[in-house]
Amino acid sequence: MIELDDLILGDNQFFGINHMSQQKAQELAERFNDTSEIVHAYHAAYDMGIRAFMLNSNDRAAEICDYLRANADQFPELGMYASVPYPHKYANLVAEKGVIATLQEVLAERSAMSLLGLAGSGLSMLTGDVTKIMTILVDVEMSMFRDLNVKVVYLQNIITDLLLGLALRDFFVAYSRHIRKRYNATPGFLTMNVPRLAAFLESSGVEESVICGSVNKLGYLMSPDKAAYEEYFTRPQKYPVTAMSIYASGAIPAAEAIAYVRQLGIQSIMFGASSRDHMKQTIELARSLDEKEMEQGVRRNA
Amino acid sequence: MESGLFSSQPPGAPNGNRKTLQAGIIGAGRMGITHLAIFGGHPDVRVSAVADNSPIVTHTLGRYRSDIALFKSYEEMLGRMPLDLVVIATPPHMHAAMIDAALDCGLSIFVEKPFTLAGDEARRLAARSRAVAGTHQVGYVNRFNDVFMIVKKLLKAGLLGRLISFCSDMFGRTVIRMEDNSGWRSERKTGGGALYEFGSHAIDLAVYLFGCPDQVVGTRLTPIYSSHIEDMVRTTFLYKSGLEGSVLVNWSDESHRKPTNRIEVFGERGKITADQQELKIFLKEEAEGFVKGWNIVYITDVFTPVPFYVRGYEFTRQLFHFAERARTKAENMASFDEGAITQHVLDMILADAGVEL
């Protein structure tokens, strides 16, 4: 069974993503416009003992991966939690050109094609095998993480939840097999529908995978609702869960937010931090709860 | 492979003795697939047929969802399948004929925006739909956004007093470089361009909140990257009440990660600014539970959960609203009649810009 890190530094703040306020999102986009600001945040986090970084394969992530490779000696124990794909890239391309042209464009990028040993073959070899297309798209996205210690590869939530709604069981099975085989990493799924996804994965025969979903006391981005999540976490879980959006983009005070997910027995937290002080606050709060739990001999549900 | 576990009955949400609604989807592009996925989480709806001729879509569904009957033609699907409701998510120039055919079958219809390509056609279809049982909805999804629904309620309650001006702006990064301009989105006659394909959301939001303008002036349709269609729209709405509003739409603005709608409303008692996630209210005096000065409401304060989340709360909410209205026949929040008003305004904008329809 995979051992998930207790604290994983999320990446939304670096890319101007805030689910509560577009104004806050804008401020974050401005603050982290220069990649060196992101790099500073990584160093600060690593110095504070964080050993796990989440990174979505968006336009700017390649540059960050380059930095982490070039400075690997400064992050010797780092584990990456990758997420693929960057959905807005595909959404915009599909909106503009349609599905087929998007595939052609993505696969026609020479670097991607040569990397995959597909130069010259075009799309023709792929027609008729949609899971094959999926694995190739994953490989295109994952190429930026080469030579980094990737522990988990999450399928991004827009894609996970779309495929969940379409009930495409074989995709989930093929994805998790591919991630284990090709990257020797743990397959993961980001979702806004944790209880439904877990039941679906289990009935589809998906093994040794992990889930990351929003868990917060407001019930924000938790479908069908907060009560269903609370009920879900009273039962044993086949797929270890990492909680994200614990602050509901800033709506919940840190201490309450962390206490809530720990009450549900969730040990692994993906957290965002827009400043060094925020980061420090989350880490200290989580660790002080750890110490309390140790003292009280509370058994971890990890 | 067997049918999806959740395609008809998710655990914990049995549909009791209610009859399952049989749904068909015409056009399985980006929105058609999204609607198919959302229905996957609806306890009372089963998508039993899809009409589309894209090989990748039909191949995927054919291989992995053998419970869905696939058709190359929508006429054949409508003729052969016993359906209760249909979702039309094709390029807009194809909508009218499909709506007519679905009305002939007496079905409830959800059609993606824009409703059609002409106001008179939209009015004809809306009038026809009134004589057909069921519900008939246009995919103006902002009407189902928690924040915009609150703005509507506050304006209706008269929070700002007499309204003086508004802006309805929409930005996104759909077209951000010179392209070969292929595909339906780059032609007006197929329903493309920033006005129809993108800006109709901002225009419908203005219609939803303020009603149909009496006059449209000062329209500019500006290409940025596209060669023969607009990427930016700027126009002004005038109302007999004295209210005036500006609309700005730009789908070539790369500074926006995803499509964003913003409105600002100025009235004699204060001001409201809102986007999909956040509402700010400035009041001269306290009213309706809001303090004098600034009040800020975030989506996290006001959201209502949805049973299954796919691309945002409002996408699930609009489709579940449709399914619920298909059963109860209660008033639809984005009816064909409403869609026809927005279509009329789109006509007014094009006429003001000197575009021949």
Side-chain angles (χ1 to χ4, degrees):
Chain A
M1 183 56 78
I2 174 163
E3 193 65 27
L4 287 165
D5 287 82
D6 284 3
L7 288 170
I8 303 160
L9 180 66
D11 65 345
N12 274 355
Q13 69 279 356
F14 299 144
F15 305 119
I17 300 170
N18 182 292
H19 296 297
M20 178 167 97
S21 160
Q22 288 178 13
Q23 190 178 319
K24 287 183 181 181
Q26 176 67 26
E27 287 164 15
L28 290 166
E30 290 165 14
R31 187 178 314 164
F32 292 105
N33 189 50
D34 186 342
T35 304
S36 67
E37 291 297 319
I38 301 175
V39 164
H40 284 150
Y42 277 173
H43 278 288
Y46 199 83
D47 289 346
M48 286 186 236
I50 300 301
R51 294 292 177 266
F53 297 163
M54 159 84 154
L55 188 60
N56 175 250
S57 62
N58 62 34
D59 329 354
R60 294 179 63 201
E63 204 186 328
I64 295 168
C65 289
D66 287 343
Y67 180 87
L68 293 172
R69 262 188 300 274
N71 298 278
D73 55 328
Q74 296 179 55
F75 301 95
E77 295 168 20
L78 182 62
M80 296 299 290
Y81 287 60
S83 85
V84 296
Y86 176 54
H88 292 288
K89 176 173 91 179
Y90 290 94
N92 289 324
L93 276 173
V94 170
E96 196 181 339
K97 302 167 155 214
V99 174
I100 295 287
T102 295
L103 283 173
Q104 276 164 342
E105 169 153 339
V106 171
L107 298 176
E109 285 174 19
R110 201 174 297 155
S111 58
M113 295 301 279
S114 58
L115 182 82
L116 298 166
L118 290 172
S121 60
L123 261 184
S124 56
M125 63 160 288
L126 300 174
T127 52
D129 192 345
V130 189
T131 54
K132 178 75 179 162
I133 293 177
M134 181 273 293
T135 61
I136 286 174
L137 290 178
V138 166
D139 293 346
V140 170
E141 299 279 324
M142 282 301 292
S143 64
M144 68 174 72
F145 293 97
R146 64 191 175 279
D147 302 330
L148 293 172
N149 173 29
V150 175
K151 287 176 85 167
V152 174
V153 183
Y154 289 115
L155 191 63
Q156 213 279 343
N157 56 281
I158 292 183
I159 310 298
T160 301
D161 290 334
L162 190 75
L163 297 176
L164 172 63
L166 297 175
L168 298 184
R169 293 175 189 286
D170 289 7
F171 266 78
F172 289 90
V173 175
Y175 174 82
S176 53
R177 269 196 207 129
H178 183 67
I179 297 302
R180 271 195 301 274
K181 200 170 144 200
R182 170 110 194 191
Y183 300 101
N184 195 24
T186 299
F189 301 96
L190 291 157
T191 183
M192 305 300 184
N193 306 281
V194 169
R196 174 187 293 266
L197 177 69
F200 183 80
L201 292 178
E202 192 158 359
S203 67
S204 304
V206 172
E207 298 294 335
E208 292 171 42
S209 298
V210 295
I211 291 175
C212 179
S214 306
V215 183
N216 58 68
K217 63 182 293 186
L218 287 180
Y220 187 52
L221 301 176
M222 294 160 64
S223 281
D225 55 31
K226 188 179 154 189
Y229 274 58
E230 290 177 350
E231 197 276 326
Y232 172 76
F233 284 108
T234 62
R235 291 181 272 126
Q237 292 118 42
K238 181 176 167 73
Y239 309 99
V241 173
T242 296
M244 64 175 179
S245 296
I246 65 166
Y247 300 132
S249 291
I252 306 169
E256 279 178 44
I258 295 174
Y260 178 73
V261 299
R262 288 294 174 81
Q263 269 167 32
L264 297 179
I266 302 170
Q267 190 61 28
S268 177
I269 292 173
M270 183 173 297
F271 70 104
S274 55
S275 71
R276 197 188 159 90
D277 286 347
H278 285 163
M279 205 183 280
K280 195 164 168 237
Q281 185 187 32
T282 299
I283 295 168
E284 284 175 358
L285 279 166
R287 294 207 174 125
S288 72
L289 278 175
D290 285 346
E291 281 163 20
K292 267 190 210 159
E293 284 171 11
M294 297 276 261
E295 278 167 24
Q296 292 164 3
V298 176
R299 201 172 63 83
R300 281 187 182 187
N301 184 18
Chain B
M1 200 183 87
E2 76 280 16
S3 69
L5 178 68
F6 298 114
S7 54
S8 57
Q9 285 269 357
N15 71 352
N17 296 322
R18 290 197 301 272
K19 171 182 171 276
T20 295
L21 296 168
Q22 300 294 326
I25 291 181
I26 305 175
R30 189 163 68 115
M31 286 318 300
I33 290 286
T34 299
H35 296 315
L36 176 59
I38 293 171
F39 273 149
H42 198 297
D44 300 348
V45 177
R46 195 178 97 76
V47 177
S48 48
V50 167
D52 193 287
N53 48 27
S54 147
I56 195 161
V57 169
T58 47
H59 178 86
T60 305
L61 291 176
R63 177 160 170 184
Y64 299 110
R65 288 294 301 270
S66 55
D67 57 316
I68 297 176
L70 298 175
F71 296 89
K72 282 208 159 54
S73 100
Y74 73 91
E75 292 100 330
E76 196 189 350
M77 180 183 91
L78 294 176
R80 287 187 33 198
M81 298 297 290
L83 300 174
D84 299 293
L85 51 95
V86 68
V87 170
I88 299 173
T90 59
H93 67 292
M94 301 163 87
H95 288 177
M98 292 169 172
I99 292 168
D100 271 321
L103 287 172
D104 288 342
C105 300
L107 302 183
S108 287
I109 302 167
F110 177 97
V111 62
E112 264 306 331
K113 43 53 57 175
F115 187 9
T116 65
L117 295 185
D120 52 0
E121 194 168 56
R123 279 188 294 278
R124 180 185 66 76
L125 292 169
R128 256 204 89 188
S129 75
R130 274 176 242 137
V132 173
T135 199
H136 304 97
Q137 183 174 333
V138 183
Y140 284 120
V141 69
N142 281 323
R143 292 175 182 243
F144 298 88
N145 172 273
D146 285 299
V147 175
F148 294 138
M149 287 162 81
I150 290 171
V151 173
K152 167 90 175 168
K153 215 165 122 187
L154 294 175
L155 293 177
K156 206 172 165 192
L159 181 71
L160 299 185
R162 185 171 63 86
L163 300 182
I164 295 159
S165 73
F166 70 83
C167 323
S168 175
D169 299 340
M170 184 172 186
F171 305 100
R173 49 185 302 174
T174 304
V175 176
I176 53 171
R177 62 200 139 163
M178 295 289 179
E179 285 295 341
D180 58 348
N181 291 300
S182 54
W184 67 267
R185 284 183 174 82
S186 60
E187 296 283 344
R188 171 120 37 235
K189 62 180 193 297
T190 48
L195 177 67
Y196 278 146
E197 155 60 13
F198 194 77
S200 55
H201 279 302
I203 287 144
D204 181 69
L205 186 57
V207 170
Y208 171 59
L209 296 175
F210 311 106
C212 182
D214 297 293
Q215 201 185 346
V216 170
V217 298
T219 302
R220 300 275 303 155
L221 302 179
T222 310
I224 299 171
Y225 298 110
S226 300
S227 54
H228 46 281
I229 198 119
E230 75 284 348
D231 295 313
M232 187 167 77
V233 181
R234 195 184 283 280
T235 188
T236 301
F237 292 0
L238 303 178
Y239 293 77
K240 281 182 183 147
S241 66
L243 173 65
E244 56 184 61
S246 72
V247 175
L248 171 62
V249 172
N250 182 345
W251 74 357
S252 298
D253 184 345
E254 211 169 334
S255 73
H256 290 268
R257 195 173 58 90
K258 56 181 185 179
T260 301
N261 285 90
R262 278 188 198 148
I263 53 153
E264 181 168 316
V265 193
F266 179 75
E268 60 182 357
R269 292 187 199 146
K271 186 167 95 168
I272 287 176
T273 64
D275 58 37
Q276 278 104 332
Q277 292 157 307
E278 188 174 0
L279 168 64
K280 293 185 180 180
I281 304 166
F282 181 91
L283 293 179
K284 288 184 172 186
E285 300 297 336
E286 64 172 44
E288 302 277 337
F290 295 103
V291 300
K292 181 179 168 176
W294 283 107
N295 298 263
I296 302 177
V297 179
Y298 293 113
I299 185 76
T300 43
D301 303 319
V302 296
F303 75 96
T304 44
V306 292
F308 178 48
Y309 185 106
V310 175
R311 270 177 55 186
Y313 283 101
E314 49 269 65
F315 285 98
T316 299
R317 197 170 294 125
Q318 75 166 354
L319 211 58
F320 275 49
H321 176 82
F322 169 61
E324 192 266 333
R325 292 305 197 262
R327 186 183 299 287
T328 64
K329 321 283 196 283
E331 192 185 354
N332 193 302
M333 279 168 53
S335 66
F336 275 15
D337 284 316
E338 294 283 318
I341 295 171
T342 297
Q343 201 68 45
H344 173 63
V345 179
L346 292 168
D347 277 6
M348 291 167 82
I349 292 168
L350 289 170
D352 184 52
V355 174
E356 284 199 24
L357 295 172

